[in-house]
Amino acid sequence: MKMDGVKGVGAGAEAAQFNFTAWESLTATMQPLLLNAISHPFKNCREDVSAAMVQFFGLTSSNASLFVPNHSKLLVSGFEATFAGFTKHARGEEGKKKYAAQDTLLRTLAHVIIHGDSEFYYEIVVTPLLRMVFDILDVYDSSTEDTEENEKVKVKAEVEVEVEEVELEVEEEDKGEEEEVEEESNTKNDKDIFNMARSTLSFIARRCLIKVDNATQIVDNLIELVRSVIEGEGGKASWQVRQAAIRFLGQFYATHLFLISPDQTEQIRALVVGLMGDKRREVSVSATSSFTVLLAAMSEEQCAKIVEEFAALAQKALRRKGKMLIAQARACNVLVASVLIRPYDVPKFVPVALGALAPHSFEKNAPPLVRQSVTKCISEFRRTHADNWAEHRLKFEISQLETLDDSVSLTSNYYA
């Protein structure tokens, strides 16, 4: 019986070794095939390819091995090599292949998050692929950026399309019809992949996927990634990329708050505040929304200190008469966020914030976007505090009530 037991152990080890060897052989065969199918033209096939990647690149605990890090690097480098072969404003057949590759990337990320052990592979898989997702947004909106340079890029891309069509010697009438159909297809693909990329970023940010023991390094890398994405190449990131990056950062902070250190919180705060004065309203609004998340996690004393700092900056900006427009926008948006985080209460810092905000709703020195933002904030404050205003008004000083009196959003009788 003892010998039988020894034989049983030996047979089990031999079977395990055989299974391991067979799996490694199958993996070595499948990985190149999957990478070559990244730009597959059929949607259902791309779905199968992305699901298979999680298995054959060792991103699940069921088939994890000592070679998992190498497999992960191979997956990332495969996507990088694929996208490196496309031009930034790809159109025609190249555009279709690029769209297919981007679709596979987003599907693969979703499978890694849902079906893989992403907490073990966040730094070596999720973070590198995130940069490619932001690149998708840059490709989509770079031709719609309201800058002279991007307008030139758009014209250049259109000229390249026309040159290709001339080289193909297409009949003039047919060429016009083909251009229209092709452009509609490109536009639809751009919009579809853009929306998928934004949804993927939100999905990842809202899922807590980081292990505690290596959280510090991963968060540092993500902060640096978002910083580089916001700055862009040569400091010219498109506004939709900036908006998506700052929304991702705010959502990520809310979900991973217990893993983020005070120093990292300060870095995140600096990035968010920096975009609260962005020239694009969409970006500044998203940054303000993200800043409310940071304020909601602070104590009342911390909020009061921030309000005091930016109230002084807002008042200084008014006195400088249009010479501190960006600082003025940042300060006002910070104060707006501080008011909106407590919609049915009046902490000590809210009267200070409103007192500093109110003049920006009617002063000519305030930019139109700032006046609109302040006016909307005060109107919202009025709506949420109307029922108990007799009690809430006691927390305001006379000078603060008089300033609110002059605001275009509120009647003098309301604060009388």
Side-chain angles (χ1 to χ4, degrees):
M1 295 294 294
K2 185 175 182 180
M3 291 297 295
D4 292 341
V6 172
K7 290 180 180 179
V9 171
E14 184 177 348
Q17 180 62 37
F18 174 80
N19 290 337
F20 177 80
T21 303
W23 175 254
E24 286 298 304
S25 176
L26 180 60
T27 298
T29 302
M30 289 299 299
Q31 286 177 350
L33 296 176
L34 292 172
L35 293 177
N36 289 334
I38 287 178
S39 298
H40 199 285
F42 297 130
K43 177 180 176 181
N44 290 340
C45 291
R46 294 197 298 269
E47 175 62 25
D48 292 337
V49 167
S50 60
M53 283 181 171
V54 178
Q55 295 292 330
F56 289 104
F57 284 89
L59 300 180
T60 62
S61 57
S62 61
N63 59 3
S65 70
L66 296 176
F67 299 99
V68 166
N70 292 332
H71 292 171
S72 302
K73 291 179 181 178
L74 181 60
L75 175 64
V76 173
S77 63
F79 275 109
E80 289 175 343
T82 300
F83 289 119
F86 299 123
T87 58
K88 187 171 184 179
H89 301 280
R91 286 294 184 264
E93 288 300 318
E94 183 189 12
K96 292 178 181 179
K97 290 182 179 180
K98 187 173 184 180
Y99 166 79
Q102 292 170 337
D103 181 67
T104 303
L105 167 66
L106 298 178
R107 292 177 185 276
T108 301
L109 258 177
H111 279 290
V112 170
I113 300 302
I114 297 173
H115 303 297
D117 289 335
S118 54
E119 64 270 20
F120 295 101
Y121 311 119
Y122 204 102
E123 188 172 6
I124 58 178
V125 177
V126 178
T127 302
L129 294 183
L130 272 177
R131 175 173 288 280
M132 301 182 202
V133 178
F134 284 115
D135 288 342
I136 292 175
L137 299 177
D138 188 41
V139 169
Y140 168 77
D141 71 355
S142 58
S143 61
T144 62
E145 186 78 10
D146 294 331
T147 65
E148 181 180 352
E149 180 175 347
N150 282 314
E151 189 63 29
K152 293 180 180 178
V153 171
K154 178 180 178 181
V155 172
K156 182 179 178 181
E158 292 174 349
V159 170
E160 290 175 351
V161 171
E162 293 175 1
V163 170
E164 291 175 0
E165 290 169 348
V166 170
E167 290 175 350
L168 292 173
E169 298 181 354
V170 181
E171 291 292 334
E172 193 66 31
E173 295 181 1
D174 294 339
K175 183 175 70 174
E177 294 177 359
E178 290 177 4
E179 280 183 356
E180 184 176 350
V181 172
E182 188 71 30
E183 188 59 32
E184 288 180 1
S185 176
N186 289 330
T187 301
K188 183 179 184 302
N189 288 344
D190 285 347
K191 290 182 178 179
D192 288 346
I193 207 68
F194 170 74
N195 291 330
M196 286 179 61
R198 290 188 63 177
S199 298
T200 300
L201 288 173
S202 179
F203 176 69
I204 294 174
R206 293 176 183 273
R207 296 283 291 260
C208 189
L209 306 166
I210 299 177
K211 293 181 66 177
V212 176
D213 55 358
N214 62 344
T216 301
Q217 182 63 44
I218 292 177
V219 173
D220 282 339
N221 290 340
L222 279 174
I223 293 174
E224 186 57 36
L225 169 64
V226 172
R227 179 182 288 110
S228 64
V229 166
I230 290 173
E231 293 175 354
E233 296 183 6
K236 296 179 181 179
S238 59
W239 72 264
Q240 293 197 26
V241 171
R242 299 196 301 271
Q243 182 192 35
I246 211 63
R247 288 181 63 185
F248 173 85
L249 196 59
Q251 293 170 346
F252 180 86
Y253 181 85
T255 309
H256 300 80
L257 176 61
F258 63 98
L259 295 174
I260 298 176
S261 68
D263 180 64
Q264 291 169 337
T265 298
E266 284 302 311
Q267 294 182 55
I268 293 173
R269 172 189 162 184
L271 287 173
V272 174
V273 172
L275 288 185
M276 292 175 80
D278 197 277
K279 62 181 181 180
R280 293 291 305 209
R281 179 175 178 81
E282 296 90 340
V283 179
S284 63
V285 169
S286 294
T288 302
S289 177
S290 295
F291 193 74
T292 59
V293 177
L294 274 70
L295 287 176
M298 296 180 184
S299 66
E300 187 169 325
E301 290 74 17
Q302 290 174 314
C303 291
K305 185 177 180 180
I306 290 175
V307 167
E308 183 179 354
E309 173 188 349
F310 284 94
L313 181 60
Q315 292 168 352
K316 179 180 178 181
L318 274 183
R319 294 194 298 269
R320 294 296 299 274
K321 297 182 179 181
K323 296 181 180 180
M324 298 175 60
L325 296 181
I326 295 178
Q328 183 178 14
R330 287 174 181 167
C332 288
N333 284 328
V334 167
L335 297 176
V336 165
S338 68
V339 172
L340 297 180
I341 60 169
R342 303 289 287 273
Y344 299 100
D345 194 11
V346 182
K348 293 181 180 179
F349 58 82
V350 168
V352 177
L354 285 171
L357 274 176
H360 295 265
S361 66
F362 54 82
E363 287 286 348
K364 294 181 179 180
N365 296 332
L369 291 181
V370 171
R371 289 201 298 269
Q372 293 172 13
S373 178
V374 173
T375 299
K376 183 178 180 180
C377 172
I378 296 178
S379 296
E380 182 66 13
F381 176 81
R382 172 187 179 182
R383 184 186 68 80
T384 56
H385 293 77
D387 294 341
N388 298 312
W389 177 242
E391 176 185 348
H392 293 322
R393 70 187 306 275
L394 299 177
K395 299 182 180 181
F396 287 77
E397 297 178 358
I398 298 298
S399 59
Q400 294 167 343
L401 289 174
E402 290 176 348
T403 304
L404 284 173
D405 237 6
D406 296 331
S407 173
V408 295
S409 292
L410 304 169
T411 63
S412 58
N413 292 335
Y414 183 77
Y415 289 102

